[in-house]
Amino acid sequence: MKKNVAIGFLGVNLDKGKGPKRWEGWRPSVDLCNQSDLIIDRFELILDSKYLTIAKQVKADIELISPETKVVLNEVNIDNPWDLGEVYEALFDFADLYRFDTDKEDYLLHITTGTHVAQICLFLLNEAHYLPGKILQLSPPKRGKTLSVGAVSIIDLDLSKYDAIADRFERERKSDTAFLKSGIHTRNLHFNAMIDEIEHVAIRTQSPVLLMGPTGAGKSHLARRIYELKKRRHQIEGKFIEINCATLRGETALSTLFGHKRGAYAGATKDRDGLLRTAHHGMLFLDEIEELGMDEQAMILRALEEQTFYPVGGDTHVKSRFQLIAGTTADLVKLVSEGRFREDLLARINMWSYSLPGLKDRREDIAPNLDFELSKFSAANHRKMSFNKEARQAYLKFALSAEARWTANFRDLASSVTRLCTFAQGSRIDLLSVEKEVERLKNLWRFNRENNFEEILLSVMSPEQLDLIDPFDRPTLSHVVTTCQNTNSLSEAGRVLYSVSRCLRKTTNDADRLKKYLAKFSLSWASLVNT
Ligand SMILES: Nc1ncnc2c1ncn2[C@@H]1O[C@H](COP(=O)(O)OP(=O)(O)O)[C@@H](O)[C@H]1O
Ligand SMILES: [Mg+2]
């Protein structure tokens, strides 16, 4: 049989009493040891030295009515028993030093005596598992029956035992992850696991969060959802402020972010707050953060670390506490190695970083997202849209095939559904509409690809020069151009481009081969890397 050990504060008012009359009043600490069906083997009474006399009387009385109970007096001095910090710390120290032996003893935390603050602290320490055991409270005997004993009730704070409460937490968690996913029943395991983690982290952290991924993967959407989730959970009070850093250029960039003082420069006719200040207590979403200039990066880092900054032309600092979410389509580590992104800023913002997969890597989510887009269109246009059976099959067949490139990911899907719904006669999307849409998508992606080759080539030559190059040669040449621009020397580029054939040769002359290839198009290493 395990021993019962009660731990509780001496009740300086309730437990007090002198002379024979003391037996007529209700003294909870004494009463606790007078229960017929609960034997207390040891009572750890916590008291301030000031009340030693009362404590000694209580000890003697308990030992008189319950000889099996050993009473231990623990002097814990607390100046102000209504001060939560002080009481918590004192009890924490008590718990820290106490030798609990949960194999041999059951602990009962007695909360009938002591200030409300003391009760709260016992509860908190129990809940945080610093004080093991169960909470115990006594209720006074019925009026007029002063000599009878009060009723004991024991509360087990291990909430996991309460199925209903556990269920409730689980439902809440599920509804939070569903909220982050806009209620879409996504099936991709990797994506779902990531959203689970974001749900867990988002409501607990104030640190920056970095969302990476290709365009249209849903970074902006997710950033806003994270904000809304925190708002729902009362974790954030301020606003959601969003800015695409690619739109921040030149002298107005600093003033847009950090604000300015009147007269800071020509045209600054009034004070301006700036986005960092507007995001005070809220969330700042810096989309395409890789587009920030080096000066702005340094200032953002400072503002994050010190939670203050100087507006342009201002000599007093402004405070702002905000949570940063950054979005990027770039490989920031690579940009750091190229000296285009500050290493210290990256270190600061990638505390929690998540990489959102593109639609191609989440094919199993195309169908649920298709339904979601359909209902979104339906709601916005007050028209319930749906596919004919064979039309839906045909669309999904194409959407899931390798031919569907989904270069702009969910943005492509959203536009495609909008077109299908707009062209549909009435509320039904038929096979013919799907076939037309599939052609449109194919053209869109074909155009993008060709367009890309041309764009790359036009960055190193004039349109007249490009006109002289066969379509046959354009893909290869544009690949050569990008490889040269991403390597450090002609030899290195040659090694990459001729990586297969060079192994079959006795002597290697990659640099020379590459130089001759470029010369055919009147290009040279220098002309490529100096653009
Ligand atoms: N989880 C999602 N639920 C619903 N729609 C989404 C979701 N993620 C993205 N979208 C849609 O996809 C499109 C692109 O998303 P967006 O967040 O702007 O991408 P990114 O910022 O990564 O370029 C938007 O039209 C958005 O409504
Ligand atoms: Mg975006």
Side-chain angles (χ1 to χ4, degrees):
M1 268 289 279
K2 281 192 182 182
K3 287 186 169 174
N4 282 324
V5 178
I7 300 176
F9 280 88
L10 174 75
V12 294
N13 295 314
L14 288 176
D15 286 337
K16 193 165 62 180
K18 274 198 272 189
K21 271 210 160 237
R22 69 183 189 277
W23 294 106
E24 287 169 25
W26 180 58
R27 290 183 295 163
S29 296
V30 180
D31 193 17
L32 175 60
C33 303
N34 199 19
Q35 301 287 324
S36 49
D37 43 10
L38 177 71
I39 305 283
I40 302 292
D41 297 285
R42 194 166 76 248
F43 195 166
E44 299 284 356
L45 206 52
I46 299 174
L47 61 124
D48 192 290
S49 320
K50 292 201 278 289
Y51 302 109
L52 203 55
T53 323
I54 304 176
K56 282 186 174 155
Q57 179 76 72
V58 168
K59 176 175 159 81
D61 288 347
I62 291 176
E63 285 169 355
L64 184 72
I65 56 162
S66 170
E68 57 280 357
T69 307
K70 177 171 184 264
V71 180
V72 180
L73 300 184
N74 297 274
E75 292 184 38
V76 173
N77 293 330
I78 296 172
D79 281 344
N80 177 5
W82 291 95
D83 181 293
L84 188 101
E86 196 189 344
V87 177
Y88 188 90
E89 201 165 325
L91 272 180
F92 189 94
D93 290 342
F94 170 82
D96 201 28
L97 291 175
Y98 195 87
R99 289 169 186 253
F100 292 103
D101 184 354
T102 47
D103 287 338
K104 300 210 181 86
E105 301 183 334
D106 280 329
Y107 299 94
L108 296 164
L109 308 175
H110 183 215
I111 60 165
T112 320
T113 44
T115 58
H116 291 322
V117 168
Q119 296 168 8
I120 291 170
C121 291
L122 284 170
F123 165 86
L124 290 174
L125 287 160
N126 183 222
E127 213 250 346
H129 304 288
Y130 287 113
L131 276 176
K134 294 173 185 162
I135 301 268
L136 178 148
Q137 68 178 357
L138 278 179
S139 41
K142 298 233 164 62
R143 268 171 178 268
K145 294 191 176 175
T146 40
L147 288 176
S148 62
V149 294
V152 177
S153 51
I154 292 178
I155 307 156
D156 187 349
L157 269 191
D158 183 357
L159 295 183
S160 61
K161 289 203 182 134
Y162 293 85
D163 285 349
I165 296 176
D167 277 359
R168 179 69 213 264
F169 282 153
E170 183 54 19
R171 276 207 309 279
E172 199 60 31
R173 198 191 66 77
K174 284 218 176 96
S175 96
D176 285 351
T177 49
F179 180 77
L180 288 177
K181 298 193 283 191
S182 308
I184 304 175
H185 296 286
T186 50
R187 302 170 193 156
N188 183 276
L189 290 179
H190 167 71
F191 182 76
N192 286 347
M194 185 177 75
I195 294 291
D196 281 351
E197 186 183 319
I198 293 179
E199 184 271 338
H200 185 88
V201 167
I203 54 175
R204 287 170 177 80
T205 191
Q206 302 286 333
S207 307
V209 175
L210 175 63
L211 300 178
M212 302 173 292
T215 179
K219 301 177 296 296
S220 304
H221 187 87
L222 185 58
R224 181 173 280 280
R225 285 262 146 178
I226 292 175
Y227 166 79
E228 284 165 3
L229 181 63
K230 293 191 81 146
K231 186 102 187 175
R232 253 178 31 165
R233 292 292 211 91
H234 309 286
Q235 299 264 324
I236 206 159
E237 292 162 22
K239 297 190 187 120
F240 180 76
I241 303 293
E242 178 174 6
I243 177 84
N244 186 320
C245 300
T247 64
L248 295 172
R249 284 276 173 253
E251 109 177 279
T252 56
L254 283 178
S255 124
T256 307
L257 290 169
F258 303 98
H260 62 228
K261 286 306 215 190
R262 192 175 138 210
Y265 49 82
T269 53
K270 321 191 255 221
D271 288 359
R272 177 183 185 185
D273 265 350
L275 298 178
L276 265 70
R277 175 65 198 175
T278 318
H280 190 36
H281 293 313
M283 191 177 270
L284 178 66
F285 176 47
L286 293 180
D287 202 2
E288 299 194 36
I289 194 168
E290 73 276 12
E291 295 289 334
L292 270 187
M294 292 307 255
D295 288 348
E296 288 81 14
Q297 289 179 27
M299 290 176 71
I300 291 276
L301 177 65
R302 225 197 94 157
L304 277 176
E305 287 183 336
E306 300 181 7
Q307 300 179 345
T308 59
F309 57 88
Y310 290 92
V312 180
D315 45 18
T316 47
H317 62 231
V318 172
K319 269 200 173 78
S320 181
R321 277 178 70 107
F322 56 87
Q323 182 170 17
L324 179 75
I325 295 209
T328 186
T329 50
D331 177 350
L332 293 181
V333 174
K334 184 159 169 267
L335 294 188
V336 166
S337 73
E338 290 166 0
R340 285 159 55 202
F341 199 82
R342 289 186 69 107
E343 189 172 13
D344 45 9
L345 181 59
L346 177 60
R348 189 79 180 77
I349 63 174
N350 76 356
M351 163 102 174
W352 299 106
S353 58
Y354 297 98
S355 190
L356 271 64
L359 197 49
K360 279 202 301 296
D361 300 318
R362 280 175 62 191
R363 295 203 184 258
E364 60 274 62
D365 288 342
I366 291 180
N369 272 286
L370 179 64
D371 296 332
F372 174 79
E373 292 297 339
L374 274 179
S375 43
K376 201 165 82 180
F377 184 94
S378 306
N381 296 278
H382 312 290
R383 188 149 63 101
K384 175 101 184 76
M385 298 301 301
S386 57
F387 279 96
N388 283 342
K389 193 166 173 233
E390 67 276 26
R392 184 181 160 87
Q393 275 169 356
Y395 188 81
L396 282 175
K397 184 163 176 251
F398 172 72
L400 292 161
S401 71
E403 221 180 332
R405 292 178 51 227
W406 299 117
T407 46
N409 299 298
F410 292 94
R411 196 166 287 128
D412 277 348
L413 183 65
S415 324
S416 173
V417 171
T418 303
R419 281 192 299 266
L420 280 167
C421 295
T422 310
F423 283 122
Q425 305 282 351
S427 61
R428 278 282 182 191
I429 300 167
D430 60 16
L431 190 57
L432 188 66
S433 313
V434 166
E435 282 165 356
K436 281 193 193 147
E437 175 57 20
V438 166
E439 278 317 302
R440 251 184 253 119
L441 285 170
K442 283 183 185 166
N443 277 332
L444 169 80
W445 293 324
R446 195 174 300 135
F447 175 76
N448 274 351
R449 180 172 274 175
E450 277 164 14
N451 215 30
N452 256 341
F453 296 148
E454 308 210 18
E455 244 174 50
I456 291 166
L457 293 176
L458 283 173
S459 69
V460 296
M461 64 179 61
S462 67
E464 290 76 13
Q465 277 174 296
L466 181 65
D467 283 343
L468 300 175
I469 298 178
D470 276 329
F472 179 87
D473 286 316
R474 292 180 187 189
T476 316
L477 185 56
S478 71
H479 180 67
V480 171
V481 169
T482 38
T483 307
C484 288
Q485 287 172 339
N486 288 323
T487 45
N488 294 316
S489 66
L490 188 66
S491 314
E492 196 193 330
R495 278 196 298 279
V496 173
L497 288 162
Y498 298 114
S499 61
V500 178
S501 56
R502 72 194 301 273
C503 299
L504 307 172
R505 293 170 170 236
K506 284 204 192 78
T507 55
T508 53
N509 55 349
D510 316 310
D512 199 45
R513 283 170 83 189
L514 181 54
K515 202 157 117 191
K516 286 186 180 139
Y517 175 79
L518 290 173
K520 277 208 304 199
F521 303 99
S522 313
L523 294 170
S524 68
W525 168 261
S527 72
L528 297 185
V529 297
N530 293 331
T531 50

